[in-house]
Amino acid sequence: MKMLVTGAAGFIGSNFVFHMLDEHPDAQIVALDALTYAGNLETLDKVMDEDNFSFVKADIADREAVFQLFEDEKFDVVVNFAAESHVDRSIEDPGVFLRTNIIGTQVLMDASREFGVQRFHQVGTDEVYGDLPLDRPDLFFTEDMNITASSPYSASKASADLLAMAYHRTYGLPVTISRCSNNYGPYQFPEKLIPLMIANALADKPLPVYGTGENVRDWLYVEDHCRAIDMVLQDGKVGEVYNIGGHNEKSNLEVVKTILRQLGKPESLITFVGDRKGHDLRYAIDPTKIHNDLGWLPETKFDDGIRMTIQWYLDNEDWWQKIISGEYQQYYEKMYSNR
Ligand code: NAD
Ligand code: DAU
């Protein structure tokens, strides 16, 4: 089985490559990534020399490059992680989100049709369901809910999901879609809540919490997400959407306080800053379908996952220090200095 994994130098894509190489040593994995600011080839260092792994630097929206690769490699399966993924950046500059997340997905699906790919899996997000109110803990995202969007990022991901379903119905492309809640774990870019707070706390810098900090996210350890996608690829039904999440809701403030406690840093580092525009209040997945149909359940509890994640950032300071010392400095200044 030959599999193309796009966005493989990013957070979840790289963890998925490690998962696949561990669990399916017979699979041939081709990793593709444009190596944007969020892609880091060093992340893939430990698998670069594996016989059943290769890396290609390419942009998923580059039709010529993508078609050439598909013609050369004859993939059986495509898993599309490649995306612009940070909501705050999409609010600053939506254009690149539309190009990568929508056009890029279209190009990959066109190539998949042309070269007879047997499964196209689109890695989606729970943000396409909009948000839930804070005072209705009985409500959860289910697969049959309406698609809506609060940010240019979620609008671009919703568009990609709609296109994928349309390619399935119109052309019979064998598509599956998964929609996961917030991931955390090793190799997450330090612009996202958990690694950003770990890095700032370690440097005794203020921890910028948007608004009141009461917004709720449903946290899932990245390996549990990767295992769920693997199960969808094996036993998922073509044309279906699977929500992935482990009923692990926490307010941002709870997450930040947990990080401070574990690092032995004072809560006085918490600094409330201006809210994110259009800030979604609460995400919460109902994972009944993937549990009942595929037998998936999360394996890592938040208390264990956050401990492992903090330890990983302590043990791999080189990896993230390089990132935050470069171009990221300017991003941080721009986003946080006058907030
Ligand atoms: P990430 O930003 O860490 O990684 C994205 C990767 O895609 C990077 O390596 C980047 O270089 C690459 N990329 C960007 N534009 C590209 C292009 N035009 N061509 C080729 N490669 C390109 O993101 P992530 O957090 O790993 O998210 C991966 C996928 O999972 C995304 O589709 C995202 O929407 C989805 N998702 C993420 C989460 C989460 O909590 N992080 C949750 C649910 C779904
Ligand atoms: O739900 C899935 C989504 O989760 C994915 O589709 C996205 O790719 C991923 O980035 C994530 O989106 P969020 O916007 O929820 O993640 P982020 O880490 O940016 O923010 C989490 C929460 O923390 C959110 O309520 C905003 C808040 N926050 C974030 C940052 C970066 C802060 O309060 N301060 C910050 O500095």
Side-chain angles (χ1 to χ4, degrees):
M1 192 257 301
K2 193 181 261 195
M3 179 181 286
L4 174 68
V5 180
T6 71
F11 166 44
I12 311 174
S14 60
N15 278 284
F16 182 74
V17 166
F18 304 148
H19 168 90
M20 289 303 292
L21 291 172
D22 279 351
E23 297 297 320
H24 304 278
D26 297 340
Q28 193 71 37
I29 308 285
V30 177
L32 175 152
D33 202 291
L35 300 179
T36 68
Y37 81 91
N40 187 345
L41 205 47
E42 270 183 34
T43 301
L44 295 170
D45 263 358
K46 65 178 179 196
V47 295
M48 255 336 162
D49 294 332
E50 299 287 332
D51 290 341
N52 56 344
F53 176 83
S54 58
F55 178 81
V56 181
K57 181 173 187 289
D59 177 346
I60 57 166
D62 179 344
R63 181 168 285 267
E64 209 176 307
V66 167
F67 270 61
Q68 189 60 59
L69 181 70
F70 275 62
E71 187 174 1
D72 294 345
E73 298 281 358
K74 311 272 182 305
F75 299 115
D76 302 302
V77 176
V78 174
V79 185
N80 182 27
F81 289 93
E84 289 292 335
S85 69
H86 192 35
V87 171
D88 291 327
R89 288 186 190 251
S90 83
I91 294 167
E92 289 298 299
D93 181 15
V96 66
F97 284 74
L98 274 52
R99 181 178 182 277
T100 290
N101 299 1
I102 307 175
I103 304 297
T105 303
Q106 182 216 355
V107 168
L108 289 171
M109 291 194 298
D110 284 343
S112 298
R113 284 180 62 210
E114 177 79 20
F115 296 100
V117 164
Q118 291 158 30
R119 174 69 70 84
F120 180 88
H121 184 76
Q122 175 65 8
V123 180
T125 168
D126 63 355
E127 297 202 13
V128 303
Y129 299 119
D131 64 350
L132 298 165
L134 290 176
D135 60 356
R136 290 291 308 273
D138 55 315
L139 297 180
F140 296 94
F141 293 143
T142 52
E143 288 85 355
D144 55 4
M145 278 171 77
N146 284 342
I147 297 293
T148 178
S150 310
S151 70
Y153 162 71
S154 52
S156 69
K157 292 295 290 184
S159 307
D161 281 10
L162 291 172
L163 260 183
M165 292 314 280
Y167 268 56
H168 171 62
R169 174 150 177 170
T170 307
Y171 306 117
L173 186 70
V175 166
T176 43
I177 297 176
S178 53
R179 295 184 180 140
C180 192
S181 59
N182 287 61
N183 284 214
Y184 67 104
Y187 299 108
Q188 186 166 32
F189 193 90
E191 67 189 346
K192 305 283 168 62
L193 181 76
I194 287 180
L196 185 147
M197 296 300 169
I198 296 172
N200 281 19
L202 286 173
D204 296 310
K205 278 172 63 177
L207 270 51
V209 172
Y210 298 166
T212 60
E214 285 166 331
N215 304 61
V216 168
R217 296 295 182 264
D218 186 358
W219 294 97
L220 186 73
Y221 194 62
V222 64
E223 171 60 19
D224 280 326
H225 184 190
C226 295
R227 203 167 35 81
I229 293 175
D230 187 3
M231 290 170 98
V232 172
L233 291 174
Q234 290 186 57
D235 296 320
K237 221 168 122 204
V238 158
E240 294 285 322
V241 173
Y242 295 90
N243 284 354
I244 308 172
H247 284 304
N248 204 343
E249 291 176 52
K250 306 254 174 247
S251 74
N252 295 337
L253 214 44
E254 275 179 271
V255 170
V256 170
K257 285 183 179 173
T258 303
I259 292 169
L260 286 171
R261 209 168 36 248
Q262 295 207 8
L263 289 173
K265 299 287 180 176
E267 287 189 8
S268 56
L269 285 176
I270 294 175
T271 309
F272 292 98
V273 299
D275 211 351
R276 175 183 278 175
K277 291 190 180 85
H279 199 172
D280 280 337
L281 291 171
R282 172 176 167 248
Y283 301 150
I285 287 271
D286 176 352
T288 305
K289 178 175 174 180
I290 191 164
H291 175 57
N292 287 348
D293 292 5
L294 307 181
W296 177 87
L297 275 177
E299 288 179 355
T300 304
K301 293 196 181 71
F302 186 75
D303 285 353
D304 297 331
I306 195 73
R307 204 175 318 111
M308 291 190 289
T309 303
I310 291 174
Q311 193 57 50
W312 188 89
Y313 280 86
L314 287 169
D315 293 343
N316 292 274
E317 202 162 333
D318 257 19
W319 181 88
W320 56 269
Q321 281 292 0
K322 268 189 218 153
I323 294 172
I324 63 175
S325 60
E327 172 202 4
Y328 180 72
Q329 288 271 349
Q330 287 147 33
Y331 166 84
Y332 196 88
E333 268 299 298
K334 182 174 161 209
M335 301 299 272
Y336 292 95
S337 58
N338 294 314
R339 194 157 188 142

Coordinates of all heavy atoms in Angstrom, one line a residue, residues 162 165 196 226:
L162 N -17.0 20.5 2.0 CA -18.1 20.5 1.1 C -17.7 20.0 -0.3 O -18.3 19.2 -1.0 CB -18.8 21.9 1.0 CG -19.5 22.3 2.3 CD1 -20.0 23.8 2.2 CD2 -20.7 21.4 2.5
M165 N -17.2 16.2 -0.2 CA -18.5 15.5 -0.3 C -19.0 15.6 -1.8 O -19.6 14.7 -2.3 CB -19.5 16.1 0.7 CG -19.1 15.8 2.1 SD -18.6 14.1 2.5 CE -20.2 13.3 2.6
L196 N 2.5 27.5 23.3 CA 2.9 29.0 23.5 C 2.9 29.3 25.0 O 3.9 29.9 25.5 CB 1.8 29.8 22.8 CG 2.0 31.4 22.9 CD1 1.5 32.0 21.6 CD2 1.4 32.0 24.1
C226 N -4.4 10.3 15.6 CA -3.7 9.6 14.5 C -4.3 8.2 14.4 O -4.6 7.6 13.3 CB -2.2 9.5 14.7 SG -1.4 11.1 14.7

